[in-house]
Amino acid sequence: MDILLDQKADLEHSVIVTFLDLATPTTPSLAKIALATGAAVVPLFSYPEGSGYRFRTDPPVPVEPGDTVTTLTQRFNDRVSREIFATHLWFWFHDRWTPRRRRATGLEPSPPAAPAE
């Protein structure tokens, strides 16, 4: 099963953890599955190579004693963030940190109200 953690997550169905050093609503689905099953998660990365792609797996991210949905989701995001920072490769077309979403999470103040006339 593939779960893409870098997708936008609805605020009511997400946890707020950091991704690329920014507080970001992130789906907790992968952490919930790992906690329910005890299964380790194997990160998979793909890189352009010639006319195709090369794939690489990293060592599994295990469920550790005391893990919560939030701590495990953060560890998953940390792993993906480290890879992006190390390779400078991230193929994405949308902004995960739109002002409306950041305001809704309390991560960005609302714009000032228009002055009364």
Side-chain angles (χ1 to χ4, degrees):
M1 165 181 8
D2 298 328
I3 296 180
L4 303 174
L5 288 179
D6 63 349
Q7 295 283 321
K8 279 188 178 179
D10 291 335
L11 292 173
E12 61 272 12
H13 300 109
S14 64
V15 293
I16 306 299
V17 292
T18 60
F19 178 67
L20 299 176
D21 292 337
L22 294 170
T24 306
T26 303
T27 180
S29 300
L30 185 57
K32 287 180 178 182
I33 292 168
L35 287 166
T37 64
V41 172
V42 178
L44 171 70
F45 301 100
S46 65
Y47 305 92
E49 186 170 273
S51 62
Y53 291 89
R54 173 177 52 89
F55 294 90
R56 190 192 85 228
T57 59
D58 271 5
V61 178
V63 173
E64 296 178 357
D67 268 334
T68 65
V69 168
T70 302
T71 62
L72 201 50
T73 301
Q74 183 63 67
R75 280 213 316 279
F76 298 150
N77 268 5
D78 288 347
R79 185 61 204 98
V80 175
S81 293
R82 279 194 306 272
E83 191 67 19
I84 293 167
F85 284 137
T87 63
H88 302 287
L89 295 173
W90 186 40
F91 185 69
W92 210 242
F93 287 107
H94 69 256
D95 181 4
R96 288 195 65 186
W97 303 278
T98 59
R100 180 179 56 81
R101 294 179 71 79
R102 289 179 57 82
R103 281 193 298 276
T105 62
L107 302 174
E108 181 173 298
S110 295
E117 291 187 28

